[in-house]
Amino acid sequence: SNLMGKLSCDLMFFAKNKIIYLLCADTLTSFILVQLMRRKTSQSTNLAMEKILSRIPKKFKVDEVHFDQGREFASIDKVLTPRHINKRILPTYQKSAAAESAISRVKELFRRFRTDTNSKNIIKFMPHLVATLNKRINRNTGQSALEALAENEPGKIYRQKYEKDILKNYDLALSATSKYTLDQPVRIRNFKTAAEEKSRFKPPLS
């Protein structure tokens, strides 16, 4: 995957849903981009998406954007199609994982800022919150999202981010033991549904 190749996007709400942001996160580097919206409509979402895409350097090619099934993304094709960007609508249970994670981190950091400053002005704090998270060191890659984008080595970032999990799953697969040994005869039961089982016993004709 390319850096900024796949974005995960979702809406982020503050002040009892009166302040709305569109947040997009790069699924590989976790780099965050946000844009303030006027209201929760497809038109406002489209405008926010245009602004976010315009801020991505031209050396990065966005290939795909992930959304949930919210109605605010109903006409997002108007923004993506002219730019040759694919849209992927995720099922409700899956959601936009990278965006959901980023939203949680933004809100957690805002709670800390709000406690330290005794201020609830999220619009004032948002640029600093995003900048702080984009500079935060990722424990898997050993570098921040900003550093990863500057280095522009997607293969290296992918290995650093996922290699441990891949090797762990590989080791688990190798260590798994089978209940049966090679060439050992086993009995296979012919499973049937309740209706199929019932059809085997037809009542006698009267």
Side-chain angles (χ1 to χ4, degrees), residues 117-134:
T117 62
N118 197 29
S119 173
K120 298 181 180 180
N121 191 343
I122 181 60
I123 296 177
K124 176 183 176 181
F125 283 130
M126 184 57 70
H128 186 66
L129 297 176
V130 172
T132 299
L133 291 173
N134 284 335

Side-chain angles (χ1 to χ4, degrees), residues 35-196:
Q35 179 60 49
L36 184 64
M37 295 170 51
R38 290 190 174 184
R39 56 187 68 88
K40 186 185 175 182
T41 63
S42 59
Q43 291 84 358
S44 292
T45 304
N46 290 355
L47 181 59
M49 191 76 232
E50 286 180 345
K51 291 182 177 179
I52 283 180
L53 291 175
S54 69
R55 285 155 47 197
I56 298 175
K58 292 183 179 180
K59 66 178 180 178
F60 300 120
K61 173 66 172 69
V62 179
D63 299 314
E64 186 175 270
V65 184
H66 301 171
F67 305 99
D68 61 22
Q69 299 182 19
R71 288 181 294 178
E72 60 273 12
F73 302 116
S75 62
I76 202 71
D77 286 328
K78 294 179 181 179
V79 179
L80 303 182
T81 302
R83 294 171 170 81
H84 307 288
I85 299 174
N86 295 321
K87 175 184 71 174
R88 184 180 177 191
I89 300 297
L90 301 174
T92 304
Y93 67 87
Q94 188 175 3
K95 297 186 177 182
S96 301
E100 291 279 334
S101 174
I103 289 171
S104 297
R105 287 183 282 126
V106 170
K107 290 190 172 184
E108 175 60 29
L109 191 57
F110 176 57
R111 281 193 286 269
R112 290 168 51 189
F113 270 74
R114 188 173 56 187
T115 301
D116 294 341
T117 62
N118 197 29
S119 173
K120 298 181 180 180
N121 191 343
I122 181 60
I123 296 177
K124 176 183 176 181
F125 283 130
M126 184 57 70
H128 186 66
L129 297 176
V130 172
T132 299
L133 291 173
N134 284 335
K135 293 177 183 177
R136 181 175 288 177
I137 302 298
N138 184 293
R139 61 184 178 184
N140 290 326
T141 64
Q143 58 185 174
S144 68
L146 276 174
E147 291 171 334
L149 290 179
E151 195 172 77
N152 197 13
E153 292 188 24
K156 177 182 176 182
I157 300 300
Y158 184 87
R159 289 192 300 273
Q160 290 174 329
K161 190 170 185 178
Y162 299 113
E163 188 174 44
K164 290 182 180 178
D165 291 332
I166 292 173
L167 291 176
K168 181 179 178 181
N169 291 335
Y170 180 73
D171 290 340
L172 287 174
L174 290 178
S175 62
T177 56
S178 174
K179 183 177 179 180
Y180 302 101
T181 60
L182 188 64
D183 297 328
Q184 180 180 353
V186 296
R187 181 180 178 184
I188 301 176
R189 181 177 177 180
N190 185 19
F191 289 99
K192 295 181 179 294
T193 65
E196 290 172 333

